Amino acid sequence: MNPDQYVQQKAAASGSSFYYAFLFLPRQRRAAITAFYAFCREVDDVVDDVSDASVAQAKLAWWQGEVAQAFAGRPSHPVMQALMPHVPAYGIEQGQLQAVIEGCQMDLEQTRYLDFAGLARYCHLVAGVVGEVAAHIFGQTDARTTAYAHKLGLAFQLTNIIRDVGEDAMRGRIYLPISELQQFDVKAHEITRREYSDRFTALMRFQAERAHRLYDEALALLPDADRRAQKPGLMMASIYRTLLREIEADGFQVLHQRTSLTPLRKFWLAWKMQALGRM
């Protein structure tokens, strides 16, 4: 298996909404975003799949070294071998990849966030920076598109957090800010015990309303000059926002289940944005 086949398999196997948006890109841009997405999956899987924190830290440290080595012209992992040929064309920086790894390290060192400002810092590293790189690969021409990409990445990550509240709690992580748990009088042990209440529903509605605001703000920031090129991001926005609405319609039953859209529905939403230009 060569590096390009490896990253293609890594991206396809994830079943992520991102993969469906990549399908409509020209070949070179698709190869670049697939390699970058495979990198993000590799480092994220370290946190999710390795139960021993010290082993996970060692693996992330290895990735830090691998990224530095790759930018020095010596990539050894197939993901970096697939990604590096695209670095000059799309202005991908070593610091951006290191920021994604730093965000994954936060998952090993911090399981709670005092307030939304702290959570937003984490989201910036694991999602905002990802959006920034992706926007350049898709074809950014206007500097203002970076602000759009960062805000859209934040909206995506908050949607993930809402969807995965129960699953994350089982791993010992609660991303909902402590100050907001207190605001709605929801105790951490109620979440870990999967106890629903009107208070929990109100808390989750508050989270969803903020995510919707961020989607609206992100879309308003996208310059018209880049709207066509940034269609893959708009496809992802359509898929993620539909997922968020499904969770809302289901009454935020996120403590015991993980809501998802079928592959066919994701493809339909992506195609609708590509062909008709609407969500």
Side-chain angles (χ1 to χ4, degrees):
M1 184 185 297
N2 65 38
D4 288 334
Q5 290 169 332
Y6 180 92
V7 297
Q8 175 66 29
Q9 185 178 81
K10 186 77 178 178
S14 73
S16 168
S17 303
F18 289 74
Y19 179 70
Y20 294 88
F22 303 163
L23 296 175
F24 297 92
L25 283 167
R27 184 182 60 82
Q28 186 176 355
R29 293 186 192 277
R30 185 170 68 247
I33 195 65
T34 299
F36 174 61
Y37 178 70
F39 164 78
C40 295
R41 286 261 36 100
E42 288 282 355
V43 295
D44 189 59
D45 286 348
V46 170
V47 176
D48 288 342
D49 298 344
V50 180
S51 57
D52 187 318
S54 62
V55 172
Q57 284 281 18
K59 283 180 175 288
L60 290 179
W62 182 89
W63 272 106
Q64 288 176 317
E66 169 65 9
V67 168
Q69 190 169 285
F71 275 82
R74 302 184 303 277
S76 63
H77 194 282
V79 160
M80 296 308 298
Q81 290 171 349
L83 179 60
M84 291 311 295
H86 303 288
V87 162
Y90 302 113
I92 301 170
E93 301 172 3
Q94 180 183 169
Q96 293 169 320
L97 303 190
Q98 297 289 9
V100 175
I101 298 172
E102 182 186 345
C104 292
Q105 286 177 321
M106 287 181 70
D107 270 329
L108 299 177
E109 299 163 357
Q110 188 169 351
T111 59
R112 303 290 299 278
Y113 292 89
L114 180 61
D115 52 26
F116 182 68
L119 178 62
R121 164 64 180 163
Y122 164 76
C123 293
H124 167 75
L125 294 172
V126 300
V129 173
V130 172
E132 179 182 320
V133 174
H136 280 282
I137 294 174
F138 296 155
Q140 177 176 346
T141 63
D142 190 317
R144 293 175 297 172
T145 297
T146 298
Y148 145 82
H150 278 278
K151 188 146 289 193
L152 191 60
L154 178 56
F156 288 163
Q157 192 62 26
L158 293 183
T159 302
N160 282 339
I161 287 170
I162 292 167
R163 177 195 62 193
D164 297 339
V165 169
E167 191 175 290
D168 288 333
M170 293 303 103
R171 290 184 171 133
R173 301 186 202 125
I174 298 178
Y175 291 100
L176 304 175
I178 293 171
S179 62
E180 293 171 10
L181 290 174
Q182 293 172 339
Q183 179 183 340
F184 289 90
D185 193 27
V186 174
K187 308 295 189 293
H189 69 78
E190 294 175 327
I191 293 175
T192 57
R193 293 175 186 172
R194 298 176 174 175
E195 296 177 4
Y196 292 97
S197 65
D198 291 341
R199 292 172 287 106
F200 175 77
T201 301
L203 169 64
M204 298 310 295
R205 189 175 296 114
F206 177 82
Q207 306 298 320
E209 287 169 355
R210 175 163 55 203
H212 279 302
R213 282 198 306 275
L214 287 165
Y215 281 114
D216 290 337
E217 290 169 9
L219 295 175
L221 287 171
L222 178 59
D224 289 340
D226 277 353
R227 184 173 178 85
R228 184 178 181 84
Q230 297 300 318
K231 269 191 177 181
L234 298 175
M235 292 176 196
M236 290 184 280
S238 178
I239 293 170
Y240 266 76
R241 205 165 189 181
T242 298
L243 173 65
L244 180 58
R245 288 173 177 137
E246 289 281 319
I247 293 169
E248 290 176 294
D250 201 30
F252 299 101
Q253 298 294 298
V254 293
L255 295 179
H256 69 289
Q257 66 183 21
R258 191 177 195 265
T259 302
S260 62
L261 305 180
T262 65
L264 182 61
R265 192 168 182 198
K266 290 177 184 178
F267 182 81
W268 161 249
L269 290 166
W271 178 87
K272 189 166 67 169
M273 173 54 67
Q274 172 66 17
L276 305 178
R278 65 171 187 262
M279 296 185 184

